[in-house]
Amino acid sequence: MKIFFSSFLTVLIFLQPIFSAAQRKTVDQRVDSVLRLMTLEEKIGQLNQYNDDWNATGPVTLDSTKKEQVLQGQVGSLLNCVGTLRTRTWQNIAMQSRLKIPLLFGQDVIHGYKTTFPIPLAEACSWDMDAIQLSARTAATEASASGINWTFAPMVDIARDPRWGRVMEGAGEDPYLGSKIAYARVKGFQGNKLGEVNSLMACAKHYAAYGAAIGGRDYNSVDMSDRLLWEVYLPPFKAAVEAGAATFMNSFNDINGVPATGNKYLQRDILKGKWNFKGFVVSDWGSIGEMINHGNVKNEYEAALSAITAGSDMDMESRCYKNSLPQLIKDKKISAALIDDAVKRILRKKFELGLFDDPYKFCNAEREQAALNDPAHTKIAREMAAKSIVLLKNENELLPLSKNIKTIAFIGPLVKAKKQNKGFWDVEVPGVDSNFIVSQWEGLQNKFGSNSNLLYAKGCDIEGDDKSGFAEAVNVAMQADVVILSIGERRDMSGEAKSRSNINIPGVQEDLLKELLATGKPVVVLINAGRPLVFNYTAEHAPAILYTWWLGSEAGNAIADVLFGPALGGINPSAKLPISFPRSVGQIPVYYSHFNTGRPATDDSNRNYNSSYNDLSIFPKYEFGYGLSYTSFQYSDLTLSKKKMKVNEPIEVSLRITNTGKYDGEEIVQLYLRDKVGSIVRPVQELKDFAKVKLRSGESKTIRFTIDKEKLSFYNQQLQWVAEPGDFDLMFGASSRDIRVKDSFELLN
Ligand code: GLC
């Protein structure tokens, strides 16, 4: 009888869409109608996620029973399963299960799918929220046409330690900029609303404070005050919730001694409680089982108890839920209601995505072909890449290169590289040749004209001490009007599990630069990396430097667009650093929004008995917010509507920005505040707003900002978000150090 009844109800669920809107049940009613049919085993199945057998992003457990488990309704989602063919195959199997609950297909679509965009840290240099959102939107358009309905992105971890390889995956050191970018990326991935055929569920990760791993060592412990957690590391996650992120992913690290996966304070009190998050939390790969390694639980049984109680809804690859939740229920250690809450959160997303109405909606091969071959996507990627390139140095206006140059020597181990330009967390799309990447060599040929004199020499490898290629490189350089040297790290030297104790430019690449400079030829250096590297020799001796990160499919064209600038249809660089660049690994952590301390060293002349290193400047090599342009900008006419403000009566601020150079360009105007006295000491600067201003040569614009209570607030000792009366400094800068105009005001009682 039950079978007949459940089959009838199953049919009813799928007939829903044809009912009139008035009769159509709400999502929650539809969820409840499915939940009522489910056995405990099927409920636990929804909490279970496996890696497909095709590609892995973590330690794989060999398991030949996955297909049978899907048939039995014991799997809720697969990851690393891409393409309409393969996802359709698995969905077909799920449609043969008793209740036909569709699978979710998750993938790390971090910075593009088939079309690869710049790594997220590079995109963050654009400070261009529209461009960043469009990048994520384009990635979602491709991935959702290829069977995927869930991306494990954006990674929103604040990171202030470039030894940590995953610094490449986020938006740098600052909570304000990081929050804006988190919001833009969630909106980009999810589009107008979940359920549209080109929308992906976003996943804010890694919750929380994964980027604060001690020593920058991946997976290491995190230890910080709740106040610092709230003030610096949580804001981008809150922004993701405000953007409507469908899911969260917890992090591998323990935080203050409690693994994030089993951290009730993070997942229940804050995320699902205070922030009222209605989506679901997936564990990071195996992190539930890893609580045993942490020494926080004794075995899988205790791990499952801890994680489900703390609010981890779906178990990625640890099998603790599948193996232990049934016994925990039997032993009355947990209630069925706890399981039901997790199951309902997951089913709700499957309904919102429209998978119950059409389990194959993301599996249309024709749509896949169209989306993966849309020429508009490469144009978007090229523009995003050009906006991500940071001009660090440009002595005597060596750049942009003159179009009258006759011969260029393009030298270095990354000049003709293809896949290297993809950086870490690219997606290997089956049947798609990754050689459609435009190499730096091809980009220059496209721009400079393949018939012109473009000379090449590799010079050396990325690593190793072999200098045998130097002579050829010098010989090639001697024939050229200008030398471009492309050096850096390998793409797999940053990313997950890629922490490094030495972040110098590897090998003998800077020695090669030395030889090339000795020729007397002008040398432009391109630095390719997923993290801030240390390159003091290059910084001091090369006349021009572009930090090109890893720029993705259109790397070569974007680099050429910036090298030649507007004269040859390219662009004037406008990017600014979202993270401080240390002078040495010994200077880490170095970040702009530090406290003053009782013995502040305000410049290198007064380090004695002040907070500094005796053998190093107090300043980073390049500061947060730094980046040059081919033109110049003047800041003037700073005006405040008043100098004393009441807490609910904001100050209106305006200033004029003038393009005083000969090229049209864009300036990222940064607004910093300093709260001079607080019950908790306040940073010497905090980014509180910014504007990216486009100005033609000679043009001026007045830009306006509002200083309101929100901008003056911080978490006090009691973790209350408060604005305290007192004096504030207001600074506008082209970087956190290059302050152009400033004033002060008072917040009254
Ligand atoms: C990895 C990463 C996480 C990723 C997941 C699935 O270990 O930590 O960011 O989304 O596993 O690939």
PDB file of all heavy atoms in Angstrom, residues 412-414 420 460-463 485-491 493 504-507 509-510 525-530 533 535 547-550:
ATOM      1  N   GLY A 412      62.090  34.810 -21.878  1.00  0.00           N
ATOM      2  CA  GLY A 412      61.690  34.277 -20.583  1.00  0.00           C
ATOM      3  C   GLY A 412      60.958  32.961 -20.705  1.00  0.00           C
ATOM      4  O   GLY A 412      60.403  32.633 -21.751  1.00  0.00           O
ATOM      5  N   PRO A 413      60.901  32.205 -19.598  1.00  0.00           N
ATOM      6  CA  PRO A 413      60.322  30.856 -19.598  1.00  0.00           C
ATOM      7  C   PRO A 413      58.813  30.836 -19.722  1.00  0.00           C
ATOM      8  O   PRO A 413      58.223  29.790 -19.945  1.00  0.00           O
ATOM      9  CB  PRO A 413      60.760  30.290 -18.244  1.00  0.00           C
ATOM     10  CG  PRO A 413      61.011  31.476 -17.381  1.00  0.00           C
ATOM     11  CD  PRO A 413      61.500  32.553 -18.283  1.00  0.00           C
ATOM     12  N   LEU A 414      58.148  31.992 -19.603  1.00  0.00           N
ATOM     13  CA  LEU A 414      56.684  31.980 -19.668  1.00  0.00           C
ATOM     14  C   LEU A 414      56.158  32.605 -20.952  1.00  0.00           C
ATOM     15  O   LEU A 414      54.957  32.730 -21.144  1.00  0.00           O
ATOM     16  CB  LEU A 414      56.118  32.689 -18.439  1.00  0.00           C
ATOM     17  CG  LEU A 414      56.278  31.847 -17.164  1.00  0.00           C
ATOM     18  CD1 LEU A 414      56.212  32.693 -15.911  1.00  0.00           C
ATOM     19  CD2 LEU A 414      55.229  30.749 -17.119  1.00  0.00           C
ATOM     20  N   GLN A 420      50.010  27.500 -18.455  1.00  0.00           N
ATOM     21  CA  GLN A 420      50.462  28.225 -17.266  1.00  0.00           C
ATOM     22  C   GLN A 420      49.565  29.434 -17.016  1.00  0.00           C
ATOM     23  O   GLN A 420      49.280  29.791 -15.880  1.00  0.00           O
ATOM     24  CB  GLN A 420      51.918  28.694 -17.423  1.00  0.00           C
ATOM     25  CG  GLN A 420      52.958  27.602 -17.375  1.00  0.00           C
ATOM     26  CD  GLN A 420      53.032  26.901 -16.013  1.00  0.00           C
ATOM     27  OE1 GLN A 420      52.742  27.512 -14.978  1.00  0.00           O
ATOM     28  NE2 GLN A 420      53.373  25.634 -16.021  1.00  0.00           N
ATOM     29  N   CYS A 460      65.962  30.845 -19.631  1.00  0.00           N
ATOM     30  CA  CYS A 460      66.164  29.896 -18.523  1.00  0.00           C
ATOM     31  C   CYS A 460      64.816  29.258 -18.188  1.00  0.00           C
ATOM     32  O   CYS A 460      63.789  29.656 -18.737  1.00  0.00           O
ATOM     33  CB  CYS A 460      66.711  30.608 -17.290  1.00  0.00           C
ATOM     34  SG  CYS A 460      65.558  31.800 -16.579  1.00  0.00           S
ATOM     35  N   ASP A 461      64.853  28.303 -17.293  1.00  0.00           N
ATOM     36  CA  ASP A 461      63.619  27.703 -16.808  1.00  0.00           C
ATOM     37  C   ASP A 461      63.083  28.506 -15.627  1.00  0.00           C
ATOM     38  O   ASP A 461      63.780  29.399 -15.119  1.00  0.00           O
ATOM     39  CB  ASP A 461      63.878  26.252 -16.365  1.00  0.00           C
ATOM     40  CG  ASP A 461      64.183  25.355 -17.566  1.00  0.00           C
ATOM     41  OD1 ASP A 461      63.531  25.562 -18.619  1.00  0.00           O
ATOM     42  OD2 ASP A 461      65.097  24.518 -17.450  1.00  0.00           O
ATOM     43  N   ILE A 462      61.896  28.156 -15.164  1.00  0.00           N
ATOM     44  CA  ILE A 462      61.321  28.848 -14.006  1.00  0.00           C
ATOM     45  C   ILE A 462      62.127  28.502 -12.757  1.00  0.00           C
ATOM     46  O   ILE A 462      62.433  29.347 -11.935  1.00  0.00           O
ATOM     47  CB  ILE A 462      59.841  28.452 -13.835  1.00  0.00           C
ATOM     48  CG1 ILE A 462      59.007  29.050 -14.974  1.00  0.00           C
ATOM     49  CG2 ILE A 462      59.281  28.907 -12.483  1.00  0.00           C
ATOM     50  CD1 ILE A 462      57.577  28.570 -15.033  1.00  0.00           C
ATOM     51  N   GLU A 463      62.467  27.228 -12.653  1.00  0.00           N
ATOM     52  CA  GLU A 463      63.284  26.784 -11.508  1.00  0.00           C
ATOM     53  C   GLU A 463      64.625  26.253 -12.010  1.00  0.00           C
ATOM     54  O   GLU A 463      64.825  26.092 -13.213  1.00  0.00           O
ATOM     55  CB  GLU A 463      62.530  25.683 -10.748  1.00  0.00           C
ATOM     56  CG  GLU A 463      61.307  26.174  -9.989  1.00  0.00           C
ATOM     57  CD  GLU A 463      60.647  25.056  -9.191  1.00  0.00           C
ATOM     58  OE1 GLU A 463      60.008  24.195  -9.816  1.00  0.00           O
ATOM     59  OE2 GLU A 463      60.796  25.032  -7.948  1.00  0.00           O
ATOM     60  N   LEU A 485      60.716  40.889 -20.658  1.00  0.00           N
ATOM     61  CA  LEU A 485      61.138  39.675 -19.967  1.00  0.00           C
ATOM     62  C   LEU A 485      59.957  39.158 -19.145  1.00  0.00           C
ATOM     63  O   LEU A 485      59.445  39.880 -18.276  1.00  0.00           O
ATOM     64  CB  LEU A 485      62.320  39.975 -19.038  1.00  0.00           C
ATOM     65  CG  LEU A 485      62.770  38.822 -18.144  1.00  0.00           C
ATOM     66  CD1 LEU A 485      63.335  37.670 -18.974  1.00  0.00           C
ATOM     67  CD2 LEU A 485      63.820  39.294 -17.129  1.00  0.00           C
ATOM     68  N   SER A 486      59.522  37.945 -19.430  1.00  0.00           N
ATOM     69  CA  SER A 486      58.372  37.378 -18.729  1.00  0.00           C
ATOM     70  C   SER A 486      58.843  36.277 -17.781  1.00  0.00           C
ATOM     71  O   SER A 486      59.285  35.217 -18.215  1.00  0.00           O
ATOM     72  CB  SER A 486      57.369  36.799 -19.741  1.00  0.00           C
ATOM     73  OG  SER A 486      56.222  36.326 -19.058  1.00  0.00           O
ATOM     74  N   ILE A 487      58.740  36.568 -16.463  1.00  0.00           N
ATOM     75  CA  ILE A 487      59.254  35.636 -15.448  1.00  0.00           C
ATOM     76  C   ILE A 487      58.203  35.448 -14.364  1.00  0.00           C
ATOM     77  O   ILE A 487      57.121  36.035 -14.427  1.00  0.00           O
ATOM     78  CB  ILE A 487      60.563  36.195 -14.822  1.00  0.00           C
ATOM     79  CG1 ILE A 487      60.335  37.593 -14.245  1.00  0.00           C
ATOM     80  CG2 ILE A 487      61.672  36.210 -15.858  1.00  0.00           C
ATOM     81  CD1 ILE A 487      61.579  38.167 -13.556  1.00  0.00           C
ATOM     82  N   GLY A 488      58.532  34.581 -13.401  1.00  0.00           N
ATOM     83  CA  GLY A 488      57.587  34.391 -12.294  1.00  0.00           C
ATOM     84  C   GLY A 488      57.649  32.996 -11.723  1.00  0.00           C
ATOM     85  O   GLY A 488      58.670  32.316 -11.838  1.00  0.00           O
ATOM     86  N   GLU A 489      56.526  32.535 -11.130  1.00  0.00           N
ATOM     87  CA  GLU A 489      56.475  31.183 -10.571  1.00  0.00           C
ATOM     88  C   GLU A 489      55.682  30.298 -11.541  1.00  0.00           C
ATOM     89  O   GLU A 489      55.116  30.787 -12.520  1.00  0.00           O
ATOM     90  CB  GLU A 489      55.839  31.199  -9.186  1.00  0.00           C
ATOM     91  CG  GLU A 489      54.419  31.725  -9.104  1.00  0.00           C
ATOM     92  CD  GLU A 489      53.810  31.659  -7.695  1.00  0.00           C
ATOM     93  OE1 GLU A 489      54.496  31.337  -6.714  1.00  0.00           O
ATOM     94  OE2 GLU A 489      52.599  31.925  -7.587  1.00  0.00           O
ATOM     95  N   ARG A 490      55.624  29.002 -11.274  1.00  0.00           N
ATOM     96  CA  ARG A 490      54.763  28.124 -12.072  1.00  0.00           C
ATOM     97  C   ARG A 490      53.338  28.266 -11.537  1.00  0.00           C
ATOM     98  O   ARG A 490      53.128  28.613 -10.365  1.00  0.00           O
ATOM     99  CB  ARG A 490      55.192  26.665 -11.897  1.00  0.00           C
ATOM    100  CG  ARG A 490      56.185  26.122 -12.878  1.00  0.00           C
ATOM    101  CD  ARG A 490      56.198  24.601 -12.846  1.00  0.00           C
ATOM    102  NE  ARG A 490      55.791  24.072 -11.563  1.00  0.00           N
ATOM    103  CZ  ARG A 490      56.652  23.867 -10.549  1.00  0.00           C
ATOM    104  NH1 ARG A 490      57.934  24.161 -10.705  1.00  0.00           N
ATOM    105  NH2 ARG A 490      56.224  23.402  -9.384  1.00  0.00           N
ATOM    106  N   ARG A 491      52.369  27.968 -12.367  1.00  0.00           N
ATOM    107  CA  ARG A 491      50.977  28.169 -11.940  1.00  0.00           C
ATOM    108  C   ARG A 491      50.636  27.247 -10.774  1.00  0.00           C
ATOM    109  O   ARG A 491      49.782  27.555  -9.949  1.00  0.00           O
ATOM    110  CB  ARG A 491      50.013  27.958 -13.086  1.00  0.00           C
ATOM    111  CG  ARG A 491      49.831  26.515 -13.534  1.00  0.00           C
ATOM    112  CD  ARG A 491      48.699  26.401 -14.532  1.00  0.00           C
ATOM    113  NE  ARG A 491      48.463  25.029 -14.983  1.00  0.00           N
ATOM    114  CZ  ARG A 491      47.259  24.522 -15.178  1.00  0.00           C
ATOM    115  NH1 ARG A 491      46.189  25.266 -14.977  1.00  0.00           N
ATOM    116  NH2 ARG A 491      47.102  23.281 -15.602  1.00  0.00           N
ATOM    117  N   MET A 493      52.490  26.593  -8.306  1.00  0.00           N
ATOM    118  CA  MET A 493      53.242  26.964  -7.096  1.00  0.00           C
ATOM    119  C   MET A 493      52.369  27.783  -6.165  1.00  0.00           C
ATOM    120  O   MET A 493      52.760  28.124  -5.056  1.00  0.00           O
ATOM    121  CB  MET A 493      54.528  27.714  -7.468  1.00  0.00           C
ATOM    122  CG  MET A 493      55.521  26.831  -8.195  1.00  0.00           C
ATOM    123  SD  MET A 493      56.893  27.772  -8.904  1.00  0.00           S
ATOM    124  CE  MET A 493      58.148  27.476  -7.674  1.00  0.00           C
ATOM    125  N   ASN A 504      60.444  34.189  -3.077  1.00  0.00           N
ATOM    126  CA  ASN A 504      61.247  34.919  -4.065  1.00  0.00           C
ATOM    127  C   ASN A 504      60.895  34.411  -5.456  1.00  0.00           C
ATOM    128  O   ASN A 504      60.369  33.312  -5.610  1.00  0.00           O
ATOM    129  CB  ASN A 504      62.735  34.682  -3.812  1.00  0.00           C
ATOM    130  CG  ASN A 504      63.188  35.294  -2.500  1.00  0.00           C
ATOM    131  OD1 ASN A 504      62.684  36.336  -2.085  1.00  0.00           O
ATOM    132  ND2 ASN A 504      64.080  34.615  -1.825  1.00  0.00           N
ATOM    133  N   ILE A 505      61.223  35.168  -6.458  1.00  0.00           N
ATOM    134  CA  ILE A 505      61.100  34.661  -7.822  1.00  0.00           C
ATOM    135  C   ILE A 505      62.072  33.487  -7.944  1.00  0.00           C
ATOM    136  O   ILE A 505      63.271  33.664  -7.679  1.00  0.00           O
ATOM    137  CB  ILE A 505      61.403  35.755  -8.859  1.00  0.00           C
ATOM    138  CG1 ILE A 505      60.269  36.795  -8.848  1.00  0.00           C
ATOM    139  CG2 ILE A 505      61.594  35.153 -10.234  1.00  0.00           C
ATOM    140  CD1 ILE A 505      60.332  37.825  -9.944  1.00  0.00           C
ATOM    141  N   PRO A 506      61.581  32.320  -8.313  1.00  0.00           N
ATOM    142  CA  PRO A 506      62.433  31.123  -8.237  1.00  0.00           C
ATOM    143  C   PRO A 506      63.538  31.095  -9.292  1.00  0.00           C
ATOM    144  O   PRO A 506      63.539  31.872 -10.244  1.00  0.00           O
ATOM    145  CB  PRO A 506      61.461  29.963  -8.466  1.00  0.00           C
ATOM    146  CG  PRO A 506      60.257  30.544  -9.081  1.00  0.00           C
ATOM    147  CD  PRO A 506      60.206  31.981  -8.718  1.00  0.00           C
ATOM    148  N   GLY A 507      64.487  30.186  -9.068  1.00  0.00           N
ATOM    149  CA  GLY A 507      65.525  29.888 -10.056  1.00  0.00           C
ATOM    150  C   GLY A 507      66.476  31.047 -10.275  1.00  0.00           C
ATOM    151  O   GLY A 507      66.774  31.831  -9.381  1.00  0.00           O
ATOM    152  N   GLN A 509      65.970  33.434 -12.669  1.00  0.00           N
ATOM    153  CA  GLN A 509      65.279  34.403 -13.521  1.00  0.00           C
ATOM    154  C   GLN A 509      65.712  35.838 -13.276  1.00  0.00           C
ATOM    155  O   GLN A 509      65.836  36.645 -14.202  1.00  0.00           O
ATOM    156  CB  GLN A 509      63.758  34.255 -13.343  1.00  0.00           C
ATOM    157  CG  GLN A 509      63.213  32.874 -13.723  1.00  0.00           C
ATOM    158  CD  GLN A 509      61.728  32.738 -13.461  1.00  0.00           C
ATOM    159  OE1 GLN A 509      60.895  33.072 -14.308  1.00  0.00           O
ATOM    160  NE2 GLN A 509      61.392  32.281 -12.266  1.00  0.00           N
ATOM    161  N   GLU A 510      65.969  36.195 -12.006  1.00  0.00           N
ATOM    162  CA  GLU A 510      66.441  37.575 -11.763  1.00  0.00           C
ATOM    163  C   GLU A 510      67.899  37.741 -12.190  1.00  0.00           C
ATOM    164  O   GLU A 510      68.322  38.825 -12.576  1.00  0.00           O
ATOM    165  CB  GLU A 510      66.234  37.945 -10.288  1.00  0.00           C
ATOM    166  CG  GLU A 510      64.764  38.212  -9.933  1.00  0.00           C
ATOM    167  CD  GLU A 510      64.589  38.975  -8.636  1.00  0.00           C
ATOM    168  OE1 GLU A 510      64.784  38.363  -7.566  1.00  0.00           O
ATOM    169  OE2 GLU A 510      64.277  40.174  -8.694  1.00  0.00           O
ATOM    170  N   VAL A 525      59.566  44.201 -17.465  1.00  0.00           N
ATOM    171  CA  VAL A 525      59.431  42.898 -16.825  1.00  0.00           C
ATOM    172  C   VAL A 525      57.966  42.588 -16.555  1.00  0.00           C
ATOM    173  O   VAL A 525      57.234  43.424 -15.998  1.00  0.00           O
ATOM    174  CB  VAL A 525      60.212  42.839 -15.495  1.00  0.00           C
ATOM    175  CG1 VAL A 525      60.041  41.471 -14.828  1.00  0.00           C
ATOM    176  CG2 VAL A 525      61.695  43.113 -15.756  1.00  0.00           C
ATOM    177  N   LEU A 526      57.538  41.421 -16.984  1.00  0.00           N
ATOM    178  CA  LEU A 526      56.204  40.902 -16.657  1.00  0.00           C
ATOM    179  C   LEU A 526      56.396  39.862 -15.566  1.00  0.00           C
ATOM    180  O   LEU A 526      57.215  38.954 -15.719  1.00  0.00           O
ATOM    181  CB  LEU A 526      55.577  40.222 -17.877  1.00  0.00           C
ATOM    182  CG  LEU A 526      55.572  40.982 -19.211  1.00  0.00           C
ATOM    183  CD1 LEU A 526      54.891  40.126 -20.275  1.00  0.00           C
ATOM    184  CD2 LEU A 526      54.899  42.328 -19.070  1.00  0.00           C
ATOM    185  N   ILE A 527      55.658  39.996 -14.457  1.00  0.00           N
ATOM    186  CA  ILE A 527      55.772  39.015 -13.373  1.00  0.00           C
ATOM    187  C   ILE A 527      54.468  38.235 -13.287  1.00  0.00           C
ATOM    188  O   ILE A 527      53.398  38.808 -13.069  1.00  0.00           O
ATOM    189  CB  ILE A 527      56.116  39.681 -12.029  1.00  0.00           C
ATOM    190  CG1 ILE A 527      57.455  40.406 -12.145  1.00  0.00           C
ATOM    191  CG2 ILE A 527      56.168  38.632 -10.915  1.00  0.00           C
ATOM    192  CD1 ILE A 527      57.910  41.101 -10.874  1.00  0.00           C
ATOM    193  N   ASN A 528      54.581  36.928 -13.523  1.00  0.00           N
ATOM    194  CA  ASN A 528      53.419  36.021 -13.538  1.00  0.00           C
ATOM    195  C   ASN A 528      53.390  35.237 -12.233  1.00  0.00           C
ATOM    196  O   ASN A 528      54.362  34.543 -11.908  1.00  0.00           O
ATOM    197  CB  ASN A 528      53.546  35.035 -14.698  1.00  0.00           C
ATOM    198  CG  ASN A 528      53.821  35.732 -16.035  1.00  0.00           C
ATOM    199  OD1 ASN A 528      52.885  36.069 -16.746  1.00  0.00           O
ATOM    200  ND2 ASN A 528      55.095  35.956 -16.355  1.00  0.00           N
ATOM    201  N   ALA A 529      52.295  35.335 -11.499  1.00  0.00           N
ATOM    202  CA  ALA A 529      52.264  34.664 -10.189  1.00  0.00           C
ATOM    203  C   ALA A 529      50.828  34.567  -9.691  1.00  0.00           C
ATOM    204  O   ALA A 529      49.935  35.280 -10.160  1.00  0.00           O
ATOM    205  CB  ALA A 529      53.104  35.438  -9.189  1.00  0.00           C
ATOM    206  N   GLY A 530      50.632  33.711  -8.686  1.00  0.00           N
ATOM    207  CA  GLY A 530      49.321  33.596  -8.045  1.00  0.00           C
ATOM    208  C   GLY A 530      49.333  34.262  -6.685  1.00  0.00           C
ATOM    209  O   GLY A 530      48.353  34.210  -5.947  1.00  0.00           O
ATOM    210  N   LEU A 533      54.941  38.029  -4.814  1.00  0.00           N
ATOM    211  CA  LEU A 533      56.277  37.448  -4.701  1.00  0.00           C
ATOM    212  C   LEU A 533      57.238  38.506  -4.167  1.00  0.00           C
ATOM    213  O   LEU A 533      56.910  39.690  -4.131  1.00  0.00           O
ATOM    214  CB  LEU A 533      56.755  36.958  -6.084  1.00  0.00           C
ATOM    215  CG  LEU A 533      55.998  35.777  -6.687  1.00  0.00           C
ATOM    216  CD1 LEU A 533      56.515  35.491  -8.096  1.00  0.00           C
ATOM    217  CD2 LEU A 533      56.132  34.535  -5.803  1.00  0.00           C
ATOM    218  N   PHE A 535      60.709  40.326  -5.007  1.00  0.00           N
ATOM    219  CA  PHE A 535      61.571  40.501  -6.189  1.00  0.00           C
ATOM    220  C   PHE A 535      62.282  41.858  -6.084  1.00  0.00           C
ATOM    221  O   PHE A 535      62.145  42.740  -6.929  1.00  0.00           O
ATOM    222  CB  PHE A 535      60.741  40.402  -7.481  1.00  0.00           C
ATOM    223  CG  PHE A 535      59.475  41.221  -7.479  1.00  0.00           C
ATOM    224  CD1 PHE A 535      59.451  42.488  -8.042  1.00  0.00           C
ATOM    225  CD2 PHE A 535      58.298  40.731  -6.903  1.00  0.00           C
ATOM    226  CE1 PHE A 535      58.289  43.257  -8.022  1.00  0.00           C
ATOM    227  CE2 PHE A 535      57.130  41.489  -6.889  1.00  0.00           C
ATOM    228  CZ  PHE A 535      57.130  42.763  -7.448  1.00  0.00           C
ATOM    229  N   TYR A 547      52.664  43.577 -13.150  1.00  0.00           N
ATOM    230  CA  TYR A 547      52.322  42.344 -12.437  1.00  0.00           C
ATOM    231  C   TYR A 547      51.145  41.711 -13.171  1.00  0.00           C
ATOM    232  O   TYR A 547      50.043  42.243 -13.162  1.00  0.00           O
ATOM    233  CB  TYR A 547      51.973  42.623 -10.973  1.00  0.00           C
ATOM    234  CG  TYR A 547      52.462  41.536 -10.041  1.00  0.00           C
ATOM    235  CD1 TYR A 547      53.810  41.480  -9.689  1.00  0.00           C
ATOM    236  CD2 TYR A 547      51.628  40.545  -9.551  1.00  0.00           C
ATOM    237  CE1 TYR A 547      54.297  40.473  -8.849  1.00  0.00           C
ATOM    238  CE2 TYR A 547      52.103  39.542  -8.712  1.00  0.00           C
ATOM    239  CZ  TYR A 547      53.448  39.514  -8.367  1.00  0.00           C
ATOM    240  OH  TYR A 547      53.933  38.520  -7.549  1.00  0.00           O
ATOM    241  N   THR A 548      51.380  40.627 -13.858  1.00  0.00           N
ATOM    242  CA  THR A 548      50.365  40.066 -14.756  1.00  0.00           C
ATOM    243  C   THR A 548      49.660  38.845 -14.153  1.00  0.00           C
ATOM    244  O   THR A 548      48.805  38.263 -14.803  1.00  0.00           O
ATOM    245  CB  THR A 548      51.023  39.671 -16.092  1.00  0.00           C
ATOM    246  OG1 THR A 548      52.150  38.831 -15.815  1.00  0.00           O
ATOM    247  CG2 THR A 548      51.495  40.900 -16.852  1.00  0.00           C
ATOM    248  N   TRP A 549      50.015  38.446 -12.930  1.00  0.00           N
ATOM    249  CA  TRP A 549      49.292  37.362 -12.250  1.00  0.00           C
ATOM    250  C   TRP A 549      49.184  36.145 -13.174  1.00  0.00           C
ATOM    251  O   TRP A 549      50.115  35.833 -13.893  1.00  0.00           O
ATOM    252  CB  TRP A 549      47.907  37.856 -11.827  1.00  0.00           C
ATOM    253  CG  TRP A 549      47.905  39.054 -10.951  1.00  0.00           C
ATOM    254  CD1 TRP A 549      47.627  40.339 -11.303  1.00  0.00           C
ATOM    255  CD2 TRP A 549      48.203  39.102  -9.538  1.00  0.00           C
ATOM    256  NE1 TRP A 549      47.733  41.179 -10.225  1.00  0.00           N
ATOM    257  CE2 TRP A 549      48.078  40.444  -9.126  1.00  0.00           C
ATOM    258  CE3 TRP A 549      48.567  38.149  -8.579  1.00  0.00           C
ATOM    259  CZ2 TRP A 549      48.292  40.853  -7.808  1.00  0.00           C
ATOM    260  CZ3 TRP A 549      48.779  38.550  -7.277  1.00  0.00           C
ATOM    261  CH2 TRP A 549      48.639  39.898  -6.897  1.00  0.00           C
ATOM    262  N   TRP A 550      48.020  35.473 -13.151  1.00  0.00           N
ATOM    263  CA  TRP A 550      47.672  34.481 -14.165  1.00  0.00           C
ATOM    264  C   TRP A 550      46.360  34.977 -14.762  1.00  0.00           C
ATOM    265  O   TRP A 550      45.369  35.106 -14.042  1.00  0.00           O
ATOM    266  CB  TRP A 550      47.516  33.080 -13.550  1.00  0.00           C
ATOM    267  CG  TRP A 550      48.769  32.542 -12.967  1.00  0.00           C
ATOM    268  CD1 TRP A 550      48.993  32.213 -11.654  1.00  0.00           C
ATOM    269  CD2 TRP A 550      49.994  32.267 -13.647  1.00  0.00           C
ATOM    270  NE1 TRP A 550      50.276  31.772 -11.477  1.00  0.00           N
ATOM    271  CE2 TRP A 550      50.928  31.791 -12.681  1.00  0.00           C
ATOM    272  CE3 TRP A 550      50.417  32.390 -14.961  1.00  0.00           C
ATOM    273  CZ2 TRP A 550      52.221  31.427 -13.009  1.00  0.00           C
ATOM    274  CZ3 TRP A 550      51.720  32.040 -15.283  1.00  0.00           C
ATOM    275  CH2 TRP A 550      52.608  31.562 -14.323  1.00  0.00           C
TER     276      TRP A 550
END
